[in-house]
Amino acid sequence: MPARRTAGAPLMARLRRRRLSLWSRDYLSQRALWPAIEQAVACALAGRQRADLVVIDLGCGAQPYADLFAGTRLIGVDRSGDDATPDLIADVLQLPLASACADLVFCSQVIEHVTDPPRLLAECARLLKPGGTLVLSGPFYWPLHEQPHDYFRFTPHGMAHLLRSHGLQAVTVRPDSGTLTQVAVSAIHLLPRWARPLQWLINALTPLLQRLSADRLCALNIVAVATSP
């Protein structure tokens, strides 16, 4: 098993570590997603003895969330070692791991890149021990990325349906942001490079304005927590 990971980092520390400032095009998207992920993981781990837990991070990339699982036995899985630091290289649709081997499966921003999302959910459900937890996130709105391997977008109801259809009970299925943030991100992607001062202004004002709006009909991502029976 890989070594246990060490202490966590707050949101702003994560932004600085990724070199994401108010000048960054991805500032709002990461500012929305990271707290939602942290909240979902905290919900999944609440009241559990971390030293006893096996966590599998599917599509782990460079394992940016590893610190959230400090004290657990964390196994990162990715399809290759290119721009990633997996503990295991494997296809997430056909994993060489035993059934019921994980207390928690974490799969963030991967589901849109697989050709068969139901099969991914079947693998997540298979890996979970009885009473285990899945933390899953995927985009509702996101520009095309990692082309041509960008296949799907998900509503909260679609995400909940996928969970139910694989015998998983949804605990929470929530948007990570609201309509104002989604519109702001869309606007930033339309800006030419010379308009970076306007990008800074949008990044600075949007979180403040979003707090004044309860509209969550449009989001950047959907984040779910579900349990295995």
Side-chain angles (χ1 to χ4, degrees):
M1 287 289 183
R4 289 184 172 87
R5 315 302 166 113
T6 55
L11 171 63
M12 298 314 294
R14 291 187 189 281
L15 292 172
R16 288 193 294 271
R17 192 166 63 199
R18 284 288 192 90
R19 298 181 181 178
L20 290 173
S21 69
L22 290 171
W23 295 100
S24 305
R25 176 172 284 195
D26 293 332
Y27 175 84
L28 287 176
S29 57
Q30 299 305 318
R31 196 183 193 283
L33 180 60
W34 281 341
I37 289 291
E38 290 182 7
Q39 184 179 19
V41 170
C43 173
L45 295 178
R48 306 175 78 172
Q49 293 296 322
R50 290 183 173 230
D52 300 330
L53 301 180
V54 175
V55 178
I56 299 177
D57 182 354
L58 298 181
C60 65
Q63 301 199 37
Y65 295 107
D67 59 286
L68 297 182
F69 304 104
T72 70
R73 288 171 287 175
L74 176 61
I75 304 170
V77 181
D78 213 303
R79 61 186 177 185
S80 78
D82 297 337
D83 299 318
T85 55
D87 302 301
L88 173 66
I89 293 176
D91 181 354
V92 295
L93 299 182
Q94 192 172 3
L95 291 160
L97 294 168
S99 298
C101 66
D103 299 282
L104 191 153
V105 172
F106 178 73
C107 187
S108 179
Q109 307 305 102
V110 174
I111 192 170
E112 74 271 26
H113 297 298
V114 300
T115 55
D116 192 346
R119 186 171 175 183
L120 173 61
L121 265 292
E123 280 293 88
C124 291
R126 181 182 70 80
L127 294 177
L128 286 173
K129 298 176 182 179
T133 306
L134 169 65
V135 174
L136 175 71
S137 76
F140 178 88
Y141 163 81
W142 203 268
L144 286 172
H145 59 292
E146 296 186 27
Q147 299 183 65
H149 305 294
D150 185 8
Y151 304 111
F152 299 101
R153 298 293 182 268
F154 299 88
T155 67
H157 307 294
M159 190 81 79
H161 170 73
L162 280 172
L163 296 170
R164 285 194 305 269
S165 64
H166 290 87
L168 299 171
Q169 181 176 357
V171 177
T172 61
V173 182
R174 294 174 178 165
D176 69 345
S177 58
T179 301
L180 280 170
T181 301
Q182 186 265 306
V183 170
V185 170
S186 299
I188 285 172
H189 279 272
L190 290 173
L191 292 176
R193 288 187 177 275
W194 56 262
R196 289 190 71 201
L198 183 56
Q199 178 174 295
W200 185 96
L201 185 63
I202 294 172
N203 280 336
L205 291 179
T206 298
L208 302 175
L209 295 174
Q210 183 64 75
R211 291 174 193 166
L212 303 177
S213 173
D215 189 333
R216 295 294 187 271
L217 290 178
C218 292
L220 297 175
N221 302 285
I222 307 301
V223 181
V225 178
T227 58
S228 176

